[in-house]
Amino acid sequence: MNPDRAGLDALMEITSRPELVFVRGEGSWLEDHQGKRYLDFIQGWAVNCLGHNPPQIADALVRQSKLLVNPSPAFYNQPSIDLATRLVGASCFDRIFFANSGAEANEGAIKLARKWGQLHRNGAYKIITFDHSFHGRTLATMSASGKPGWDRKFAPQVDGFPKARLNDLDSVRNLIDEQTVAIMLEPVQGEGGVVPASTEFLQALRDLTREREMLLIVDEVQTGMGRTGVLFAHQRAGIEPDIMTLGKGIGGGVPLAALCAREAVSCFEHGDQGGTYNGNPLMTAVGVAIFDTLTAPGFLEGVEERGWHLSEGLTALSEKWGMLGERGLGLLRALVMDRDDGPALVEAAQQRAPEGLLLNSPRPNLLRFMPALNVSKDEIDTMLAWLDELIARARR
Ligand SMILES: *Cc1c(COP(=O)(O)O)cnc(C)c1O
């Protein structure tokens, strides 16, 4: 029984989707309309940090929806105060603006940097970003992104995002001029193929931006909220950026994102920033429940531990099949293959029977793994065993 084609066609075609409809999820597992189960190592693109349908989300939504859903961002509400207080307490940032998506949080970061440039740097507005970076799908965040070909899509671009090379300090220095107000990067490029910025590079960017009176912006939409085994990935490098954006994991699956800034750069004036749903108590109540779970004693240590377990398993697979190794931090990892098998393996994994496996291939020679942060060692071992079979079949 296939899903009704007319029904599928009522949705705008934005990507090639398999002809199945997911109806239920629990932890690391998804179930489709025919009752087939899938082990999910995508998790809504590193979004469902506690897996599918954790009780924390259902409880928070039920409780808060009976109290207050949306008084408007023109008034205070308690869950947004509670979540902002937690984020401030756990970071070097002083002020939080809640948004609905990572792209929207990044738009806010870009606006805030430009505003700061108007106030303190004589109108400097350029923000140096990086080749192969990804910051979202609005016009400005697409312009900030370094995805090949994106500079010609929906032209003309938003001006002012010169591109440097990751982990190449000279390529950054060479782009700086009077108009440069900030440098913006992902601590680990996610969509670019799980490429970490080195600790030395992050520290050098912090020094450089201080020296040249520029801001350092970290896009932690994918790396934040425990994904790499610490709450925020930049903390591994011991640096304190001026601005950070969060998305994905912060809502555990519901639309929530955040723009975090230090007091000295929180320079929006009334009317500069806002949005109908921003900071609504329904989503921020979920954010509080997620935050408290991620920061409970031992949780992040568990992420780090299972990250190593996944890393060891992927290294063993790579050695067995003569691949090029694995890389990543915590539970954001990639297997680098010796050939462009990625899309075929993703397809075969999904079609695997009786149970399927959901994987992602951001580049043809790469598989990316972003399981729930509470994925079990057994589930990791199951995924590795199935992947081994799939590789064997593909290479036979
Ligand atoms: C996913 C992602 C975004 C965009 O977030 P949306 O919620 O899809 O708008 C921005 N930056 C990074 C690093 C991401 O991984």
Side-chain angles (χ1 to χ4, degrees), residues 101-103 106 134-136 186 191 219 221-222 248:
S101 71
N106 283 336
F134 179 79
H135 299 294
E186 302 154 81
E191 303 309 300
D219 175 349
V221 170
Q222 191 158 148
K248 297 201 164 95

Side-chain angles (χ1 to χ4, degrees), residues 341-362:
D341 268 354
L345 283 171
V346 165
E347 171 86 14
Q350 181 227 303
Q351 283 173 4
R352 183 188 182 281
E355 286 154 323
L357 171 63
L358 300 182
L359 297 175
N360 166 249
S361 173

Side-chain angles (χ1 to χ4, degrees), residues 108-118 124 127 181-182 215 217 243:
I110 293 163
K111 283 168 65 179
L112 192 59
R114 286 188 175 193
K115 178 84 186 188
W116 185 85
Q118 287 173 356
I127 299 176
V181 73
L215 304 180
I217 305 172
I243 297 174

Side-chain angles (χ1 to χ4, degrees), residues 233-351:
H234 71 265
Q235 292 172 330
R236 283 179 175 273
I239 59 162
E240 298 197 333
D242 300 294
I243 297 174
M244 169 174 77
T245 54
L246 297 170
K248 297 201 164 95
I250 189 177
V254 305
L256 180 64
L259 162 62
C260 314
R262 300 169 79 169
E263 185 65 36
V265 300
S266 297
C267 56
F268 280 141
E269 292 172 90
H270 293 180
D272 283 351
Q273 182 71 336
T276 302
Y277 296 118
N278 295 21
N280 72 80
L282 193 61
M283 296 305 130
T284 48
V286 173
V288 169
I290 298 285
F291 185 97
D292 288 347
T293 306
L294 299 183
T295 54
F299 188 94
L300 291 175
E301 287 82 352
V303 173
E304 176 87 2
E305 212 178 284
R306 289 186 306 277
W308 284 118
H309 187 67
L310 177 59
S311 166
E312 280 166 18
L314 292 174
T315 303
L317 270 189
S318 170
E319 280 166 8
K320 173 172 176 185
W321 294 105
M323 296 173 174
L324 307 181
E326 70 92 39
R327 62 176 177 237
L329 292 172
L331 285 171
L332 178 60
R333 315 206 74 90
L335 176 65
V336 190
M337 297 181 291
D338 55 322
R339 58 191 86 172
D340 290 350
D341 268 354
L345 283 171
V346 165
E347 171 86 14
Q350 181 227 303
Q351 283 173 4

Side-chain angles (χ1 to χ4, degrees), residues 188-244:
V188 181
Q189 287 190 344
E191 303 309 300
V194 191
V195 186
S198 71
T199 295
E200 306 77 64
F201 187 65
L202 287 169
Q203 291 171 348
L205 290 184
R206 181 65 283 190
D207 292 343
L208 182 64
T209 45
R210 284 230 169 89
E211 228 167 78
R212 305 292 294 263
E213 270 190 280
M214 299 172 357
L215 304 180
L216 181 63
I217 305 172
V218 288
D219 175 349
E220 295 233 26
V221 170
Q222 191 158 148
T223 56
M225 304 315 288
R227 177 57 51 184
T228 71
V230 291
L231 198 54
F232 309 118
H234 71 265
Q235 292 172 330
R236 283 179 175 273
I239 59 162
E240 298 197 333
D242 300 294
I243 297 174
M244 169 174 77

